[in-house]
Amino acid sequence: PPKRGLTRIARPLRKLLLPQIRDHFPLISNAPKVTELVQSLNPDLVIYWGNFQTIPACAGLKHLPFVAILGEPPHFPEWFRIRPPFRAWSYRLTYPFWRQSLILRINRRLSLRLLRKFHSVWCTVTYLTNWYRDNGIANCQHVRNVVPDWGGADWQSRRAAAPKGDKLKIVLMGNVGGTSTVAGIYFLVDDILPHLERLLDGQFEIHICGSGKL
């Protein structure tokens, strides 16, 4: 029917021209339930630590002392993945690139609008903390990630006593499907490996360690 066809065209256009938070963060529909639950507990402080996509579910908690502990905003990985080395420069000349860029810009704007509602924002990455501040989240502060120190207090003496190998050993760590790890692998192969081959004449080995599919 004509009405259905018109809706099929109008809805995507409306999402691009008049975007709403629920278009990009559908979990905001859970905000009333989350608000009701948290208010029933009558907390002195609410600390959120998790996936950015679920932040909108906490949108109703803006009147409570609320701290959001975050890493990268949701548009960051895709923003890098539509550019080299993930995509060729020629991809910028295509319609999908410009459409995706527009959607990511909308996502960025809505993410910042959400965060401005909260009492405080903590970020576990230094350069991202600065990015949040530069983009209007003045109450953002840097906190260190909680990472166990499995090396122990005597790691230096144990490393000094360990037998030396014949080859230089390099370890690249991280989820091998992660945006930063994939970019690091490109950098390793294109920019570092040729120098290692020339300087060390093959007397080195590289280990790529992490979950995911390489």
Side-chain angles (χ1 to χ4, degrees):
K3 186 177 180 181
R4 184 177 178 183
L6 182 61
T7 303
R8 190 181 300 175
I9 297 173
R11 187 172 296 167
L13 281 176
R14 199 271 306 159
K15 288 183 178 181
L16 290 176
L17 300 177
L18 298 171
Q20 299 178 12
I21 289 179
R22 68 171 179 267
D23 296 329
H24 294 261
F25 301 100
L27 287 179
I28 197 170
S29 61
N30 292 337
K33 294 181 179 179
V34 173
T35 302
E36 181 182 359
L37 172 63
V38 174
Q39 287 180 341
S40 70
L41 299 172
N42 193 28
D44 295 311
L45 176 66
V46 179
I47 299 179
Y48 170 90
W49 192 336
N51 190 305
F52 196 105
Q53 297 296 335
T54 57
I55 273 282
C58 303
L61 305 178
K62 58 185 177 181
H63 301 299
L64 291 172
F66 182 96
V67 176
I69 304 178
L70 303 172
E72 62 189 8
H75 71 282
F76 254 56
E78 198 63 30
W79 188 260
F80 287 111
R81 284 180 178 270
I82 61 175
R83 287 163 171 73
F86 299 93
R87 295 273 192 172
W89 286 107
S90 57
Y91 183 66
R92 294 189 175 209
L93 303 178
T94 66
Y95 167 74
F97 172 82
W98 292 105
R99 181 180 180 276
Q100 204 166 1
S101 294
L102 177 59
I103 292 174
L104 291 174
R105 288 178 186 276
I106 294 171
N107 190 294
R108 169 185 176 275
R109 187 171 74 249
L110 295 177
S111 301
L112 294 169
R113 185 192 301 175
L114 274 171
L115 293 180
R116 291 190 187 101
K117 298 177 183 293
F118 298 129
H119 181 266
S120 185
V121 175
W122 296 353
C123 183
T124 57
V125 185
T126 305
Y127 81 90
L128 287 176
T129 302
N130 295 330
W131 183 89
Y132 283 121
R133 289 173 180 167
D134 292 342
N135 286 275
I137 312 300
N139 58 348
C140 184
Q141 56 184 306
H142 177 250
V143 294
R144 297 184 63 179
N145 242 326
V146 181
V147 180
D149 182 6
W150 299 113
D154 61 338
W155 67 269
Q156 289 177 308
S157 59
R158 287 191 290 111
R159 185 167 71 173
K164 300 293 187 294
D166 297 330
K167 297 181 178 181
L168 174 68
K169 182 182 291 187
I170 299 171
V171 179
L172 180 68
M173 298 186 67
N175 185 314
V176 294
T179 304
S180 56
T181 308
V182 174
I185 293 174
Y186 275 112
F187 180 67
L188 174 70
V189 172
D190 295 337
D191 296 283
I192 296 180
L193 197 56
H195 294 287
L196 291 175
E197 292 282 7
R198 186 179 73 255
L199 294 173
L200 301 178
D201 193 26
Q203 296 302 303
F204 66 93
E205 55 188 50
I206 297 175
H207 298 255
I208 300 176
C209 305
S211 59
K213 184 179 180 180
L214 185 63

